[in-house]
C-alpha cells in the first residue's frame, strides 16, 4: 500500500524526473537527424548510430573496456573470495586491518589512486599496458566484491562445514560443494557490480591508458572535452542500454538495493 | 590454524601491497622531489612544492572552490535524498522496485554519460535555456555551463543515490511500528517525519553525507566536463599538472594535500558521529 | 566389551577445565545421554568424540581403535547438529546422498540407500524438496537420514530436539527412539533437557562442571541420585541438612529437625549430611504422624495435581499431590508432612539448594 500523501507523491515524481532527465536527454539527442545537439530531436534517425560504425576508435575502445571489465572482475573475484572467507570466518590478529586495507580504495580519492598507479606503472614500463590496467582495476573493484561476499560469508552457519566434514568431505570439497554455492549470489552480484564499475571507470583509467589501450569512458571523455556532437550521445545511449540490461538482470537475481547497500539479508 | 586466513588472503594482500601501498608511498615521496622544465623530475628532497601550493592564492582558490562545491553538493543531496528515501520506504513493494531502479539505477550508469546529459541540458543553447526562452520567461540565456552552480547541480545528481541508499538502510533498521505508535498518539504525518523518523535516521544521513562529501571533493569527470579550464577543482588541477604541464612532483603534492584533507575531514566526522550517535549505530 | 570408551578425557581452555578427567563407556547398540546444564562440558565432549576438538588429555576408543589420530572426516560418525546444518542449496535427496558421494558409492546403490534412509524417517515423498520449504520437524528428519545413511558406527546427537516446539518435541522423542532401534546404531546424545534424557536413553551420564556426577539407567538416576546436584537437576527435590547418627548394613539413623528417623542404609560416615525427598513422595498426614509441620504459602492447581509450597522449620518444602477430586489445604492452613523412610536419599553434604 502506498502510504505517501499527495505532496510526497509530487515530490517523488519530480525526483524521478530529475534522476532520469540527463539520461533521457542523452538518449533523445542520439536520435537526431541533425549534425548538432538538439532536444527534443526534430525527427528520428539512426544516423548517429550508423556513424559509430565509421569510427573504429569507439568500437575498439568498447571492446577494450569489455575485455578489461571481464578480466579485472574475474581477477578481483578470485582474490577477494578467499580473502572474504578468511576475514568473515576467522578470528585472528590483524583481521580488521586486513579488511580496512581491502576496502581502502573506496576511501582514497580516485585521482590520487590514478597518479599513484601512473607513477608506479611508468617506472616499470607497464604504463598503458592491458596488464597494468587489469591489475589497477582489480584493486579499485575489489572492495565491491569483498563487501558483498563478506555479507554472504557472515551469514554462513559454520556447523554446515562440520556436517560436511563429518560426512567425509575434504576442505576443497567443502569449499566447492558447500561454501561456494551458498555464497554464489553474493559472488555473482559482486562480480557484476565490479564489472560495471570497471567498465565505467574514468578518473583512474585516464592516467594509465595509452592510445592503444584507451577504454570507452576515456575515449568518450576526451571526445566530449573537444567537441560535443550527437556521435558521443549515440555511443552513450548504447552503454546506457547495455547497463540497463545488466541492471535489470541483477535486480531480478539479487536485488539492486542489496547489491548497492551491501547488506546480506535474505 | 592461525596461518590459514593469511594464506587465503595472501594473493589479494600481495596485489594490494605491491600495487597500492607501494605506489601511494612512492607518490608521497614524489611530492618532495623537484621539477625542472628541461631536467624533468629531480631526485631532491624539499618542501618546495608544498610551499608553492600554500603560498599561491591560485591554489587556495581551487581548494576553496572544491570544498565549497563538495559542501553544497552534500547539502542538496541531504535536502532531496532524505525525503525521497522516506517516500521510497513507504511505497508499496511493486512501486518501490520501480522507483528503486529509477533512483538508484543511475549509479551504475557512467558518470561521463550522465555529465554529458547535464552539459546538453545546461548549455547556453541547451534544453533548459531554450525552453525558458521559448516560454518567454527569460530574454537571454542563463549561464550555467562553466559555473560552480552547474557543477553542484550535476554532482548532486551523480551522488544522490548514495544518500538515498544510506538513509534507506537506516530506515530499514528502525522499528516499523513507531510511526503507527506516533499516529495513535495523535501526530500528523509531517510531525511524525520530523519528530520520530528523522532523529532515528540521522546516523544514516551523516554516513551518507560523509560518502557524498568525500566523493564530491575528489570528483573529476563532472567538473572537467562542466567546468572546463575555467572552473578548476583539485582533481582537474592534478590532472593538468600530470598530463599537460608534466610537473609530477607539484601534482603529487596537490594530490597529497587533497588526500590529507579528505582523510582529516573523514576521521573528524567519524569521531563526531561515533561520539554523538555511537549507541544508535549499534 | 565396551564399544565407545573415553578414558580420562580432559579439555582445558586457558585456566579452566571444560571437561575434567571424564571416563565412561557406551555399549554397542545402546542409547546413551550426556545430560547437564549449559557449560557443563557435554558439548565439548561430543566435539572431541566427533573430532572437531582435540582433547588436552585422555583417550577415546571406538571398537578398540584409538580415535585421536583420525581426523573428523575419516571417523565415519553420523552427527545430527543442533541447528541441523542442512545444505540449504541441495534437495533433501542430495543432502542425504552427500556422505555416500564422499565414499564413492556408485550411483545405483546411492539411490537405493538414500531412498531407504528417507523411508526410515518417513520422508520418502519429500526427496526433491529443498530444506528451506520444510518445517523444523522435517528438517530434523533430513538431518537424521543424512547422518544414518552412511551407516555410522556411532551416531552423535547434539541437542537434537531443542529447536522444536514442545508438542513436536514429544512426538520426535518417540520417533527418534524408534529410528535408532530400527537402525540399531549406537547413539550418544547431548542434552540439557532431563525429561528428554530420561525418556529416550538406556543410560544417562549426568555431568556438571566438566565432571561426571553419575552414570545409571534413567530410573536409577531419578530414584537414587548420588549427589545433591543430580537430585535437584533431575526433577524437583526438597533438600535439607540432617544429622547422620549411625549406619547399619540395613538402615541408618537420622536426626531431622530434632526428630529421630530411620532411613535406608548408606555408604557414608556419620556427621552432617544432606537429605533429598521428591515432592510427590511427601504426604499430608495427621499431627501425630508428622515428621514436620508447616504453613501453606502458595498453592497452584495444575489439573492432574496440586503443587504447594509449605513453609517449615527445614525451609520451604515443595509438595505435589495427585488431584483426587477432593478439596485440598488452602493457603494459610497448617499442614503436617511426612514421608516413608525409603523415599529419603541421603547424600554427602553439599551447599544446600534452598
Amino acid at each position: 500500500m502506498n502510504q505517501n500523501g499527495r505532496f510526497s507523491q509530487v515530490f517523488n515524481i519530480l525526483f524521478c524526473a530529475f534522476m532520469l532527465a540527463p539520461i533521457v536527454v542523452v538518449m533523445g539527442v542520439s536520435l537526431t537527424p541533425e549534425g548538432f545537439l538538439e532536444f527534443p530531436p526534430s525527427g528520428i534517425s539512426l544516423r548517429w548510430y550508423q556513424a559509430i560504425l565509421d569510427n573504429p576508435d569507439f568500437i575498439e575502445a568498447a571492446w577494450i573496456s569489455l575485455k578489461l571489465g571481464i578480466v579485472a572482475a574475474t581477477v578481483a573475484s578470485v582474490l577477494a573470495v578467499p580473502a572474504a572467507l578468511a576475514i568473515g570466518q576467522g578470528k585472528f590478529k590483524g583481521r580488521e586491518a586486513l579488511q580496512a586495507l581491502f576496502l581502502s580504495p573506496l576511501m582514497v580519492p580516485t585521482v590520487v589512486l590514478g597518479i599513484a598507479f601512473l607513477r608506479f606503472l611508468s617506472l616499470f614500463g607497464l604504463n598503458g599496458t592491458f596488464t597494468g590496467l587489469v591489475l589497477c582495476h582489480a584493486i579499485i573493484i575489489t572492495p565491491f566484491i569483498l563487501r558483498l561476499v563478506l555479507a554472504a560469508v557472515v551469514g554462513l552457519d559454520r556447523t554446515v562445514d562440520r556436517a560436511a566434514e563429518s560426512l567425509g568431505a575434504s576442505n576443497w570439497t567443502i569449499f566447492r560443494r558447500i561454501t561456494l554455492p551458498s555464497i554464489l549470489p553474493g559472488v555473482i552480484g559482486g562480480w557484476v557490480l565490479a564489472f560495471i564499475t570497471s567498465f565505467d571507470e574514468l578518473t583512474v583509467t585516464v592516467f594509465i591508458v595509452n592510445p592503444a589501450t584507451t577504454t570507452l569512458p576515456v575515449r568518450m571523455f576526451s571526445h566530449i572535452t573537444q567537441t560535443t556532437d550527437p556521435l558521443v550521445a549515440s555511443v552513450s545511449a548504447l552503454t546506457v542500454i547495455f547497463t540497463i540490461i545488466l541492471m535489470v538482470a541483477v535486480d531480478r537475481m539479487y536485488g539492486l538495493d542489496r547489491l548497492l547497500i551491501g547488506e546480506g539479508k535474505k | 590454524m592461525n596461518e590459514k586466513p593469511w594464506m587465503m588472503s595472501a594473493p589479494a594482500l600481495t596485489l594490494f601491497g605491491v600495487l597500492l601501498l607501494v605506489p601511494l608511498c612512492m607518490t608521497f615521496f614524489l611530492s618532495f622531489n623537484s621539477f625542472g622544465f628541461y631536467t624533468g623530475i629531480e631526485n631532491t628532497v624539499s618542501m618546495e612544492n608544498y610551499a608553492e601550493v600554500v603560498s599561491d592564492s591560485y591554489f587556495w582558490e581551487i581548494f576553496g572552490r572544491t570544498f565549497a562545491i563538495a559542501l553544497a553538493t552534500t547539502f542538496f543531496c541531504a535536502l532531496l535524498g532524505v525525503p525521497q528515501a522516506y517516500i521510497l520506504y513507504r511505497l508499496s513493494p511493486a512501486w518501490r522496485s520501480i522507483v528503486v531502479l529509477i533512483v538508484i539505477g543511475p549509479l551504475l550508469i557512467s558518470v561521463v554519460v550522465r555529465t554529458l546529459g547535464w552539459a546538453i541540458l545546461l548549455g547556453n543553447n541547451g534544453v533548459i535555456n531554450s525552453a525558458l526562452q521559448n516560454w518567454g520567461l527569460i530574454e537571454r540565456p542563463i549561464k550555467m555551463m562553466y559555473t560552480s552552480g552547474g557543477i553542484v547541480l550535476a554532482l548532486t545528481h551523480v551522488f544522490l543515490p548514495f544518500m538515498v541508499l544510506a538513509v534507506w538502510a537506516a530506515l530499514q533498521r528502525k522499528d516499523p511500528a513507531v510511526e503507527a505508535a506516533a499516529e495513535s498518539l495523535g501526530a500528523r504525518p509531517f510531525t511524525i517525519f520530523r519528530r520520530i523518523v528523522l532523529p532515528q535516521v540521522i546516523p544514516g544521513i551523516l554516513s551518507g553525507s560523509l560518502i557524498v562529501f568525500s566523493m564530491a571533493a575528489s570528483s573529476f569527470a563532472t567538473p572537467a566536463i562542466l567546468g572546463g579550464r575555467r572552473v578548476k577543482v583539485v582533481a582537474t588541477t592534478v590532472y593538468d599538472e600530470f598530463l599537460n604541464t608534466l610537473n609530477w612532483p607539484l601534482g603529487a603534492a596537490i594530490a597529497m594535500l587533497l588526500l590529507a584533507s579528505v582523510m582529516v575531514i573523514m576521521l573528524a566526522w567519524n569521531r563526531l558521529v561515533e561520539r554523538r550517535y555511537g549507541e544508535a549505530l549499534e | 566389551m565396551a564399544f565407545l570408551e573415553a578414558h580420562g578425557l580432559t579439555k582445558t581452555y586457558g585456566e579452566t577445565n571444560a571437561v575434567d578427567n571424564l571416563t565412561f563407556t557406551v555399549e554397542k547398540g545402546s542409547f546413551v545421554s550426556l545430560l547437564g546444564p549449559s557449560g557443563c562440558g557435554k558439548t565439548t565432549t561430543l566435539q572431541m568424540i566427533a573430532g572437531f576438538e582435540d582433547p588436552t588429555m585422555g583417550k577415546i576408543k571406538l571398537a578398540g581403535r584409538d580415535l585421536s589420530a583420525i581426523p573428523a572426516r575419516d571417523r565415519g560418525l553420523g552427527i545430527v547438529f543442533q541447528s541441523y546444518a542442512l545444505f540449504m542449496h541441495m534437495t533433501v535427496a542430495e543432502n542425504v546422498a552427500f556422505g555416500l558421494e564422499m565414499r564413492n558409492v556408485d550411483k545405483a546403490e546411492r539411490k537405493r540407500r538414500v531412498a531407504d534412509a528417507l523411508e526410515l524417517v518417513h520422508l520418502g515423498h519429500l526427496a526433491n524438496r529443498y530444506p528451506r520449504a520444510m518445517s523444523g520437524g522435517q528438517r530434523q528428519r533430513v538431518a537424521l537420514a543424512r547422518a544414518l545413511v552412511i551407516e555410522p558406527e556411532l551416531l552423535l546427537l547434539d541437542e537434537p530436539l531443542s529447536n522444536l516446539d514442545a508438542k513436536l518435541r514429544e512426538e520426535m522423542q518417540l520417533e527418534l527412539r524408534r529410528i535408532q532401534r530400527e537402525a540399531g546404531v549406537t547413539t550418544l546424545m547431548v542434552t540439557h533437557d532431563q525429561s528428554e534424557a530420561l525418556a529416550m536413553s538406556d543410560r544417562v551420564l549426568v555431568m556438571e562442571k566438566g565432571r561426571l556426577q553419575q552414570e545409571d539407567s534413567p530410573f536409577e538416576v531419578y530414584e537414587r541420585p548420588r549427589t545433591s546436584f543430580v537430585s535437584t537437576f533431575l526433577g524437583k527435590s526438597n533438600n535439607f541438612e540432617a544429622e547422620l547418627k549411625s549406619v547399619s548394613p540395613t538402615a541408618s539413623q537420622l536426626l531431622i529437625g530434632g526428630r529421630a528417623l530411620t532411613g535406608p542404609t548408606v555408604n557414608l560416615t556419620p556427621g552432617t549430611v544432606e537429605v533429598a525427598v521428591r515432592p510427590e513422595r511427601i504426604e499430608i498426614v495427621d499431627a501425630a504422624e508428622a515428621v514436620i509441620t508447616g504453613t501453606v504459602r502458595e498453592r497452584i492447581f495444575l489439573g492432574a495435581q496440586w503443587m504447594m509450597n509449605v513453609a517449615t522449620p527445614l525451609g520451604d518444602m515443595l509438595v505435589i499431590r495427585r488431584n483426587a477430586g477432593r478439596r485440598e489445604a488452602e493457603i494459610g492452613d497448617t499442614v503436617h508432612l511426612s514421608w516413608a523412610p525409603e523415599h529419603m536419599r541421603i547424600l554427602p553434604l553439599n551447599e544446600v539448594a534452598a
Side-chain angles (χ1 to χ4, degrees):
Chain A
M1 193 191 71
N2 188 345
Q3 310 167 51
N4 290 303
R6 181 160 300 171
F7 175 78
S8 301
Q9 288 181 23
V10 172
F11 186 94
N12 186 29
I13 290 165
L14 289 177
F15 192 98
C16 290
F18 175 70
M19 290 316 291
L20 290 176
I23 298 157
V24 169
V25 163
V26 169
M27 309 276 278
V29 163
S30 72
L31 293 170
T32 185
E34 305 294 337
F36 51 88
L37 298 168
E38 59 158 9
F39 188 87
S42 53
I44 289 188
S45 119
L46 293 179
R47 171 186 166 191
W48 291 105
Y49 287 86
Q50 228 158 10
I52 300 173
L53 296 177
D54 304 327
N55 278 274
D57 280 6
F58 277 110
I59 296 168
E60 178 69 12
W63 187 232
I64 288 171
S65 282
L66 198 64
K67 275 197 296 189
L68 175 59
I70 291 171
V71 177
T74 308
V75 168
S77 301
V78 169
L79 299 180
V81 169
L85 282 171
I87 292 170
Q89 299 195 321
K91 285 193 194 107
F92 57 99
K93 245 189 170 167
R95 176 171 158 268
E96 264 142 42
L98 208 56
Q99 182 176 352
L101 173 68
F102 292 145
L103 292 177
S104 66
L106 291 177
M107 307 290 161
V108 179
T110 37
V111 63
V112 176
L113 290 177
I115 61 166
F117 291 150
L118 168 61
R119 174 73 174 148
F120 183 83
L121 293 179
S122 58
L123 278 186
F124 294 94
L126 282 169
N127 200 29
T129 61
F130 188 72
T131 313
L133 279 176
V134 166
L135 294 177
C136 293
H137 273 220
I139 286 182
I140 304 169
I141 61 187
T142 290
F144 296 99
I145 303 174
L146 190 81
R147 270 208 310 212
L148 290 189
V149 179
L150 213 46
V153 168
V154 168
L156 287 182
D157 176 5
R158 292 303 301 276
T159 54
V160 174
D161 296 5
R162 291 193 157 178
E165 195 183 339
S166 75
L167 293 168
S170 66
N171 284 339
W172 172 242
T173 307
I174 294 173
F175 173 74
R176 196 171 52 84
R177 295 281 309 273
I178 309 296
T179 312
L180 193 58
S182 315
I183 60 171
L184 201 58
V187 177
I188 294 175
W191 190 93
V192 173
L193 187 60
F195 170 80
I196 292 175
T197 308
S198 163
F199 190 81
D200 289 344
E201 216 298 319
L202 172 73
T203 315
V204 169
T205 317
V206 81
F207 286 95
I208 55 172
V209 290
N210 67 14
T213 53
T214 298
T215 64
L216 190 59
V218 176
R219 188 79 200 78
M220 283 160 65
F221 173 73
S222 50
H223 192 91
I224 293 169
T225 46
Q226 281 148 26
T227 160
T228 42
D229 60 14
L231 175 62
V232 77
S234 61
V235 176
S236 296
L238 286 182
T239 68
V240 169
I241 291 166
F242 176 61
T243 311
I244 287 174
I245 292 170
L246 267 182
M247 198 159 75
V248 171
V250 168
D251 192 37
R252 280 282 150 79
M253 207 177 65
Y254 194 77
L256 201 58
D257 50 330
R258 259 213 301 146
L259 184 74
L260 294 164
I261 296 178
E263 284 182 0
K265 273 190 200 136
K266 294 265 149 85
Chain B
M1 184 66 216
N2 234 338
E3 296 145 33
K4 210 173 143 199
W6 290 104
M7 273 171 54
M8 287 164 77
S9 317
L13 199 56
T14 311
L15 180 72
F16 272 65
V18 174
L19 238 91
L20 183 69
L21 296 183
V22 171
L24 283 174
C25 291
M26 283 168 58
T27 310
F28 178 68
F29 292 125
L30 177 66
S31 69
F32 296 103
N33 292 161
S34 61
F35 175 77
F37 194 72
Y38 298 105
T39 52
I41 300 166
E42 289 169 25
N43 224 342
T44 54
V45 176
S46 76
M47 295 293 289
E48 63 175 292
N49 299 310
Y50 290 97
E52 187 180 342
V53 175
V54 172
S55 62
D56 194 334
S57 66
Y58 170 76
F59 290 116
W60 278 97
E61 193 190 320
I62 286 172
F63 270 92
R65 179 186 297 126
T66 303
F67 287 114
I69 286 174
L71 209 59
T73 303
T74 310
F75 173 76
F76 285 115
C77 280
L79 191 70
L80 300 175
V82 175
Q84 180 62 24
Y86 189 52
I87 289 168
L88 201 59
Y89 172 74
R90 289 169 33 119
L91 279 176
S92 63
W95 274 109
R96 184 160 55 215
S97 57
I98 295 169
V99 176
V100 163
L101 273 180
I102 295 173
V103 171
I104 303 173
L107 209 55
L108 298 178
I109 289 170
S110 160
V111 178
V112 179
V113 172
R114 285 187 278 165
T115 306
L116 173 67
W118 284 109
I120 298 168
L121 282 163
L122 299 179
N124 279 356
N125 302 315
V127 177
I128 294 175
N129 274 320
S130 320
L132 292 177
Q133 279 171 309
N134 284 346
W135 296 335
L137 291 171
I138 51 169
E139 304 248 318
R140 232 165 290 150
I142 306 169
K143 185 172 155 58
M144 289 181 285
M145 273 298 272
Y146 309 117
T147 63
S148 295
I151 296 173
V152 169
L153 181 60
L155 284 180
T156 301
H157 178 266
V158 169
F159 296 127
L160 251 178
F162 289 107
M163 183 64 83
V164 174
L165 278 173
V167 177
W168 193 21
L171 280 168
Q172 284 174 331
R173 281 196 291 269
K174 94 183 163 48
D175 180 350
V178 290
E179 286 130 293
E183 201 177 335
S184 75
L185 296 169
R188 320 249 350 217
F190 185 70
T191 312
I192 295 175
F193 176 70
R194 195 173 54 84
R195 294 278 308 277
I196 307 300
V197 177
L198 202 55
Q200 294 199 55
V201 297
I202 280 182
I205 300 172
L206 292 176
S207 74
S209 300
L210 187 61
I211 298 168
V212 171
F213 181 86
S214 66
M215 293 180 89
S218 50
S219 65
F220 169 74
T222 304
I225 293 169
L226 296 181
R229 288 281 145 79
R230 272 164 277 185
V231 188
K232 282 177 93 171
V233 295
V234 176
T236 53
T237 309
V238 173
Y239 177 79
D240 283 344
E241 291 301 336
F242 263 83
L243 298 183
N244 294 329
T245 325
L246 298 182
N247 189 344
W248 288 20
L250 181 63
I254 299 170
M256 284 298 128
L257 286 172
L258 175 70
L259 177 64
S261 40
V262 168
M263 286 289 164
V264 165
I265 290 168
M266 281 175 85
L267 288 178
W269 191 273
N270 257 336
R271 291 204 47 184
L272 187 88
V273 170
E274 259 165 36
R275 194 172 310 157
R276 286 210 52 182
Y277 299 99
E279 285 163 33
L281 285 173
E282 282 303 302
Chain C
M1 193 195 83
F3 187 60
L4 174 72
E5 299 169 70
H7 277 290
L9 205 55
T10 302
K11 179 73 186 179
T12 311
Y13 294 110
E15 298 282 281
T16 54
N17 286 341
V19 175
D20 194 355
N21 196 17
L22 188 66
T23 300
F24 66 89
T25 59
V26 174
E27 295 300 320
K28 195 170 172 77
S30 66
F31 192 122
V32 173
S33 291
L34 272 177
L35 173 67
S38 63
C40 73
K42 58 190 192 299
T43 300
T44 310
T45 305
L46 187 90
Q47 304 276 18
M48 289 191 281
I49 296 169
F52 298 130
E53 297 275 3
D54 293 325
T56 313
M57 269 190 297
K59 265 201 166 54
I60 302 164
K61 278 187 180 175
L62 184 65
R65 277 183 303 151
D66 185 356
L67 287 184
S68 53
I70 304 174
R73 67 176 54 92
D74 298 328
R75 292 193 184 188
L77 309 183
I79 306 174
V80 174
F81 294 83
Q82 187 173 7
S83 63
Y84 311 145
L86 296 180
F87 309 138
M88 300 307 262
H89 59 289
M90 298 184 188
T91 63
V92 168
E94 285 166 351
N95 264 278
V96 177
F98 188 84
L100 298 175
E101 272 182 71
M102 295 302 113
R103 283 161 176 71
N104 298 316
V105 174
D106 73 64
K107 218 166 179 186
E109 196 193 338
R110 207 154 73 199
K111 213 172 153 191
R112 185 181 60 71
R113 279 169 71 177
V114 168
D116 287 351
L118 288 177
E119 219 39 67
L120 181 68
V121 297
H122 297 323
L123 278 182
H125 56 299
L126 297 179
N128 294 318
R129 285 259 202 105
Y130 283 89
R132 219 177 283 285
M134 303 183 99
S135 69
Q138 290 170 329
R139 289 182 189 194
Q140 157 93 70
R141 287 161 195 257
V142 178
L144 201 55
R146 185 179 68 180
L148 286 174
V149 76
I150 59 172
E151 291 170 3
E153 291 181 289
L154 178 66
L155 180 66
L156 300 175
L157 306 173
D158 184 6
E159 303 269 5
L161 304 175
S162 64
N163 281 335
L164 302 178
D165 60 49
K167 205 168 166 201
L168 200 55
R169 201 177 307 158
E170 274 176 30
E171 234 175 86
M172 275 311 287
Q173 283 180 5
L174 295 171
E175 186 68 5
L176 204 56
R177 196 62 226 257
R178 172 190 70 79
I179 293 166
Q180 188 265 342
R181 246 183 229 126
E182 276 180 39
V185 61
T186 313
T187 303
L188 184 65
M189 175 173 81
V190 154
T191 181
H192 67 274
D193 182 334
Q194 40 115 356
S195 63
E196 204 169 289
L198 295 180
M200 296 169 71
S201 323
D202 297 319
R203 294 188 79 70
V204 179
L205 306 173
V206 187
M207 284 181 75
E208 195 216 12
K209 293 183 182 145
R211 290 168 179 274
L212 186 61
Q213 296 277 321
Q214 187 167 351
E215 180 192 343
D216 254 319
S217 70
F219 181 77
E220 289 292 314
V221 275
Y222 187 84
E223 276 306 312
R224 268 175 263 287
R226 278 207 292 271
T227 69
S228 169
F229 171 79
V230 175
S231 71
T232 49
F233 187 71
L234 278 106
K236 297 188 169 77
S237 177
N238 294 298
N239 289 25
F240 45 84
E241 273 180 32
E243 271 310 297
L244 181 62
K245 287 290 178 196
S246 64
V247 186
S248 76
T250 51
S252 61
Q253 295 304 318
L254 292 155
L255 198 62
I256 297 173
R259 276 190 70 121
L261 280 178
T262 304
T265 185
V266 64
N267 189 15
L268 287 172
T269 50
T272 309
V273 291
E274 189 174 328
V275 170
V277 183
R278 297 278 181 207
E280 69 270 23
R281 304 288 158 75
I282 298 178
E283 286 164 82
I284 296 182
V285 295
D286 295 333
E289 301 163 42
V291 174
I292 193 99
T293 299
T295 313
V296 178
R297 278 240 221 126
E298 280 167 83
R299 194 187 66 171
I300 298 167
F301 179 54
L302 296 170
Q305 42 197 218
W306 295 89
M307 201 164 83
M308 278 180 246
N309 196 350
V310 180
T312 75
L314 290 174
D316 283 3
M317 291 271 208
L318 191 68
V319 179
I320 292 175
R321 288 183 47 90
R322 201 168 56 81
N323 175 14
R326 291 192 301 264
R327 273 179 35 91
E328 277 294 337
E330 305 272 349
I331 292 176
D333 287 359
T334 299
V335 288
H336 308 283
L337 307 178
S338 173
W339 51 83
E342 69 266 27
H343 290 149
M344 279 190 287
R345 298 295 158 244
I346 303 161
L347 309 168
L349 186 67
N350 203 331
E351 46 308 9
V352 174

